[in-house]
Amino acid sequence: MIRSTENRWLHRFAILTALATLFLICLGGLVTSKGVGMSVPDWPTTYGYSMFFFPFSKWVGGIFYEHSHRLVASMVGFLTVALAVWLWLQEPRRWLRWLGIVAVFGVVLQGVLGGLRVAWMKDELGIFHAALAQLFFVLVCAIALFTSRWWASAPKVPIRDGSGPRYMYQAVTAMIFLQLILGATMRHQHAGLAISDFPLAHGKIWPALDPDSIARYNQKRLETTALNPITAFQVGLQMAHRLAALLLVAGIIWQARLTIRHLGWSHPVARLSIAWVGLILGQAVLGAATIWTNKAADIATAHVAVGALSLLAGAMLVLVARRCFETSPVEAVAAAGARGRNEPANRPAQLPA
């Protein structure tokens, strides 16, 4: 069988899988935002039926969202397996074929975590489930990038001190992932409104966390139920989420400044960097709107979706910079000279391979 690095239909199928994964993340966010994650109490069946033969007449209320989430997850699983098989049959790059196998293991683990979250009724598993969903989305999008014609013929960009932007992309992307984990922890602990006002926090810049204050917050909290009062830890967790958001906004603006300084405004990487700033600012506005709207399901779900896209933009910048940036000729000569000065005089010469 002839294998080629240029396969448009394989690339398009990878994009389809990535879009289906994004839709699944949005649907999962909607399930959590509406609080209907346990509307179907059994797994892998649905009220005793095979999930693929559950009567449509019973898709009512929260069951509709949760059961739809399961079916879309199954579809993403099938697409991922098909993508891995396609890669194995037609992709000449061995590392990319194995990346497809990693994606299959990832989607299987994701499904098992989602099922155990229902079977064991453990909110902690929901946090891991949400974090893995983000990583899986990035992985599938990376496969789509690697199978593109652009990746095979990406032009090199001579850049002076290119490590600066690359390190910033990596640092800010890591910050986004940690922020997404904080957000998932808040959602799955049902603490999304542990602080019900913004930009202040219970009327202060930093809220009091003593037991009397927490009891007072619970009396006023719009989301309070007898079974789920907020705790000092949950209030502190949301404050950490807000502080991390401020650091993230500062970091995203700084990386854009570095990128524009090195590449100018018109370079595609600079444009992606600027779009990344827009995503993060939009994410911040959606976070505030989530509080102002008393955690409206559509706003909270949009917050989850833009978070996933923000993480993706950072990961793509990391990969693109690694592929495209190269040390400028002046820097390369200087680096070679520095290496030569640091080598011992009696070091034997290296023979060409």
Side-chain angles (χ1 to χ4, degrees):
M1 179 176 293
I2 299 176
R3 290 172 169 174
S4 172
T5 57
E6 184 177 336
N7 190 321
R8 292 184 180 181
W9 284 106
L10 174 59
H11 172 60
R12 291 168 182 170
F13 189 80
I15 292 176
L16 174 65
T17 306
L19 290 174
T21 303
L22 178 60
F23 179 66
L24 177 60
I25 289 174
C26 293
L27 192 54
L30 187 62
V31 168
T32 304
S33 299
K34 286 184 172 293
V36 295
M38 294 300 294
S39 296
V40 180
D42 53 332
W43 179 83
T45 54
T46 300
Y47 286 99
Y49 292 89
S50 165
M51 72 171 70
F52 303 108
F53 299 102
F54 184 62
F56 187 74
S57 61
K58 297 180 182 294
W59 294 30
V60 294
I63 297 174
F64 172 82
Y65 297 100
E66 172 61 9
H67 186 62
S68 298
H69 179 62
R70 293 187 179 190
L71 291 180
V72 174
S74 299
M75 180 187 69
V76 170
F78 291 137
L79 290 174
T80 305
V81 171
L83 178 62
V85 172
W86 199 337
L87 285 168
W88 200 262
L89 292 177
Q90 293 197 351
E91 175 55 52
R93 291 165 289 185
R94 184 178 180 183
W95 61 270
L96 188 49
R97 298 201 301 270
W98 280 106
L99 205 59
I101 300 300
V102 171
V104 172
F105 279 103
V107 78
V108 170
L109 177 60
Q110 179 73 341
V112 171
L113 283 175
L116 293 180
R117 162 69 180 85
V118 173
W120 294 353
M121 293 186 290
K122 294 287 186 180
D123 288 334
E124 296 81 0
L125 289 177
I127 299 169
F128 287 106
H129 184 63
L132 182 59
Q134 302 286 344
L135 293 176
F136 176 76
F137 177 52
V138 169
L139 174 60
V140 175
C141 290
I143 292 175
L145 176 64
F146 298 148
T147 54
S148 67
R149 176 186 294 183
W150 177 89
W151 184 264
S153 59
K156 292 291 184 179
V157 181
I159 178 171
R160 186 180 181 87
D161 190 21
S163 60
R166 285 199 297 265
Y167 290 153
M168 280 302 302
Y169 300 154
Q170 295 167 10
V172 176
T173 302
M175 289 171 61
I176 292 174
F177 183 62
L178 292 176
Q179 182 74 327
L180 292 176
I181 292 177
L182 282 176
T185 303
M186 289 164 50
R187 288 196 309 276
H188 288 279
Q189 288 194 348
H190 310 288
L193 290 180
I195 301 174
S196 56
D197 54 336
F198 182 85
L200 296 178
H202 293 296
K204 299 179 179 180
I205 296 177
W206 188 272
L209 300 177
D210 59 277
D212 291 339
S213 297
I214 296 298
R216 188 169 62 254
Y217 301 156
N218 278 320
Q219 291 176 355
K220 298 179 180 179
R221 184 172 178 248
L222 295 176
E223 197 184 58
T224 299
T225 65
L227 295 176
N228 185 36
I230 61 172
T231 64
F233 171 77
Q234 291 171 334
V235 175
L237 184 66
Q238 187 159 120
M239 288 305 298
H241 190 63
R242 293 187 180 190
L243 290 176
L246 288 176
L247 292 175
L248 190 52
V249 169
I252 204 76
I253 293 174
W254 184 257
Q255 67 79 27
R257 178 180 177 274
L258 278 178
T259 303
I260 293 169
R261 187 177 71 183
H262 283 84
L263 300 176
W265 290 88
S266 60
H267 194 277
V269 175
R271 292 177 181 176
L272 179 57
S273 174
I274 295 169
W276 199 18
V277 175
L279 283 171
I280 293 298
L281 294 180
Q283 178 75 338
V285 171
L286 286 170
T290 300
I291 296 173
W292 294 333
T293 61
N294 193 26
K295 208 172 71 171
D298 53 347
I299 299 296
T301 302
H303 189 54
V304 172
V306 175
L309 292 174
S310 300
L311 181 66
L312 173 63
M316 292 300 102
L317 274 170
V318 170
L319 294 173
V320 167
R322 185 176 181 86
R323 180 69 170 174
C324 291
F325 290 0
E326 67 177 7
T327 307
S328 66
V330 174
E331 292 289 322
V333 171
R339 286 196 300 270
R341 288 192 298 270
N342 292 331
E343 288 180 355
N346 58 353
R347 182 176 177 178
Q350 296 291 327
L351 296 176

